[in-house]
Amino acid sequence: MFNLLRVLEQFLRFIGCLLLALQYGRLLPRQMISQLHIAGVSSLVLICISALFIGLVFAFQMYIVLEGFGSLPQLSQVVAFGLFRELSPVVTGLLVAGRVGSTLAAELGQMKQAEQIDSLLMWGINSYAYLMWPRLLALLIVTPILVLAFDAISIYAAWFYAVTLHGMESQIFWTPLVFGSIYFEVDVLYGMYKAVFFGGWIGVMSLYQGAFVERGSSGIAKASTQAVVLSSAGVLMLDYVLSQFLY
Amino acid sequence: MFKKRWMDLSVGSFFILGLSVFFFLSSITGQVSDEKLGAYQLRARFDDVSGLVNRALVRISGVTVGQVNDIVIVPDTYSAMVTLTIFDPKLKIPADSTIGVYTEGILGSKYLSIMPGFSDTFLRKGDEILRTNSAVVLENLFSKLLLFFGDK
């Protein structure tokens, strides 16, 4: 119990330092670009592959079900509804948590252990402004874009399954998206809003784990594991809460 | 130096890709303000629309041509005023057409079906379809049946 309170205090202090560091914030473009590269560009392939196969599986399963009811023209609508609203932000969040969150925690943990963060302090550089914010900001910017990529690729995967493999009319596939109940402002944009929250959550959790790493090489292992566990579980919880509020 | 430039390029193209996907998705999905493509609205007054909901489909010969936008009560007559959108501006509906509330299957969702008339004048934006068939409510049907058998 006492331990839990101490962790909570540590976490709140971390958030406080993060917010206070905003006044020293001078965004370095080079820092920012390399962080955007790490968080965004290098996750893109993973996101695209996942989107491709999730779209295919979703279309495959829905095809069987809808064929039974003779409502195959609704296929794209069903796929888009399930993917755009829930699956695409959540899966993107989980993948980013696994790919970027662990990297951040390990990187920061290594820096902390090598006393690089302390030496930054010696130079009078605020490590929160210099190290944490570019990473956090990169995640906040990149996650919604990754969600968009996920959306587009998964709907194309469903199109490939229905049209190319099963000979559905391409026009019939696309029309329900425009005239059905899939709205850009609701389904696609709300997925992006969610992604911003997920990105922030993953960033804060991973950076916190890295910044307060334990001594020894097992400390880094523990920090990166904790980062992934906390961010993944958090993404799923946040998703429910945000869905309640948004829709 | 080369590596740096490559990184700049990849980050830049990442954003361009994101932007183009944004516009692509907005073009393939519907907009809430669905006035695009010249879709036009019609009205119809029903005695009973039980089970009909917003966004329910409007069909002609089983082909989806529009959707229900709004269902409100008319205070004077206590009938239901349904506003529906026809997606295709080129699709002209004769003025003496009949519109009815139907059910998909026995327990399925309700939809509107328009049976085109033979008039040479066509309905324009905001016009009212005058001939309407209300929803068949199963309970009413059963109670009629019970009365019928009760008499015997």
Side-chain angles (χ1 to χ4, degrees):
Chain A
M1 186 61 202
F2 194 67
N3 206 16
L4 193 73
L5 277 178
R6 196 151 56 193
V7 170
L8 194 68
E9 185 234 339
Q10 205 178 32
F11 182 68
L12 287 180
R13 191 183 290 176
F14 172 77
I15 298 284
C17 286
L18 209 56
L19 291 178
L20 278 178
L22 276 175
Q23 58 185 319
Y24 308 109
R26 207 158 43 80
L27 215 58
L28 303 168
R30 187 110 315 270
Q31 272 261 0
M32 210 49 224
I33 286 175
S34 75
Q35 288 312 318
L36 285 173
H37 182 87
I38 290 170
V41 180
S42 48
S43 326
L44 192 61
V45 176
L46 176 65
I47 297 285
C48 289
I49 292 173
S50 324
L52 177 66
F53 285 100
I54 286 176
L56 282 175
V57 164
F58 215 82
F60 164 67
Q61 300 285 11
M62 284 301 130
Y63 197 92
I64 296 172
V65 175
L66 290 175
E67 203 172 26
F69 291 110
S71 37
L72 270 182
Q74 258 84 341
L75 180 73
S76 65
Q77 209 176 324
V78 172
V79 171
F81 196 77
L83 285 172
F84 289 3
R85 282 195 168 195
E86 298 295 336
L87 212 53
S88 129
V90 167
V91 171
T92 308
L94 292 178
L95 291 174
V96 168
R99 178 137 196 339
V100 184
S102 60
T103 311
L104 289 189
E107 194 187 14
L108 260 286
Q110 165 66 28
M111 282 182 182
K112 176 82 180 171
Q113 284 191 352
E115 293 173 351
Q116 289 172 4
I117 293 182
D118 297 331
S119 73
L120 273 181
L121 193 66
M122 294 270 290
W123 283 80
I125 296 171
N126 186 315
S127 64
Y128 288 86
Y130 185 74
L131 290 176
M132 315 269 183
W133 267 110
R135 286 165 171 75
L136 185 58
L137 218 55
L139 268 178
L140 285 174
I141 296 170
V142 145
T143 331
I145 300 180
L146 290 176
V147 166
L148 278 182
F150 195 107
D151 287 349
I153 291 199
S154 55
I155 199 75
Y156 256 114
W159 173 85
F160 175 79
Y161 184 82
V163 175
T164 312
L165 296 186
H166 285 265
M168 186 196 248
E169 201 69 43
S170 190
Q171 189 70 30
I172 292 179
F173 183 83
W174 291 118
T175 312
L177 281 182
V178 184
F179 293 133
S181 46
I182 302 297
Y183 288 146
F184 182 74
E185 288 96 326
V186 178
D187 296 298
V188 179
L189 284 193
Y190 284 10
M192 287 178 76
Y193 298 157
K194 275 186 189 177
V196 176
F197 283 94
F198 293 168
W201 176 270
I202 293 164
V204 168
M205 278 300 148
S206 313
L207 292 172
Y208 167 72
Q209 290 298 330
F212 291 92
V213 69
E214 287 168 18
R215 286 271 153 217
S217 54
S218 68
I220 292 182
K222 200 178 158 195
S224 60
T225 311
Q226 281 290 340
V228 174
V229 169
L230 282 174
S231 0
S232 312
V235 162
L236 293 171
M237 285 192 288
L238 259 182
D239 179 58
Y240 172 69
V241 176
L242 289 174
S243 292
Q244 271 292 273
F245 275 109
L246 283 173
Y247 299 120
Chain B
M1 191 60 213
F2 175 74
K3 202 182 164 200
K4 225 185 227 173
R5 182 156 299 167
W6 189 82
M7 194 183 268
D8 291 357
L9 262 175
S10 63
V11 170
S13 44
F14 178 77
F15 279 105
I16 293 171
L17 192 113
L19 206 66
S20 51
V21 167
F22 185 84
F23 286 116
F24 164 71
L25 284 173
S26 73
S27 71
I28 65 161
T29 53
Q31 315 283 325
V32 174
S33 51
D34 220 344
E35 283 294 294
K36 61 177 183 177
L37 303 168
Y40 66 100
Q41 297 195 322
L42 297 174
R43 291 174 303 146
R45 209 177 294 214
F46 292 93
D47 291 335
D48 194 339
V49 288
S50 39
L52 195 73
V53 291
N54 280 350
R55 290 187 187 186
L57 299 177
V58 178
R59 289 175 173 158
I60 296 177
S61 314
V63 181
T64 303
V65 296
Q67 70 178 20
V68 172
N69 280 99
D70 195 23
I71 304 171
V72 291
I73 190 92
V74 181
D76 313 342
T77 56
Y78 300 107
S79 54
M81 177 66 85
V82 175
T83 310
L84 48 122
T85 302
I86 305 292
F87 296 140
D88 190 354
K90 290 197 283 295
L91 181 70
K92 296 210 165 53
I93 294 166
D96 59 343
S97 300
T98 313
I99 188 165
V101 184
Y102 293 88
T103 313
E104 225 154 341
I106 297 175
L107 296 170
S109 53
K110 292 273 198 292
Y111 67 94
L112 292 177
S113 184
I114 302 175
M115 282 138 286
F118 301 97
S119 171
D120 286 336
T121 53
F122 297 102
L123 292 169
R124 284 193 308 272
K125 184 181 177 184
D127 283 355
E128 188 174 335
I129 303 175
L130 294 171
R131 301 181 180 191
T132 58
N133 292 332
S134 291
V136 175
V137 182
L138 276 179
E139 284 86 340
N140 294 348
L141 215 60
F142 282 135
S143 61
K144 271 181 196 159
L145 268 177
L146 280 177
L147 277 177
F148 176 70
F149 285 116
D151 286 348
K152 281 190 177 174

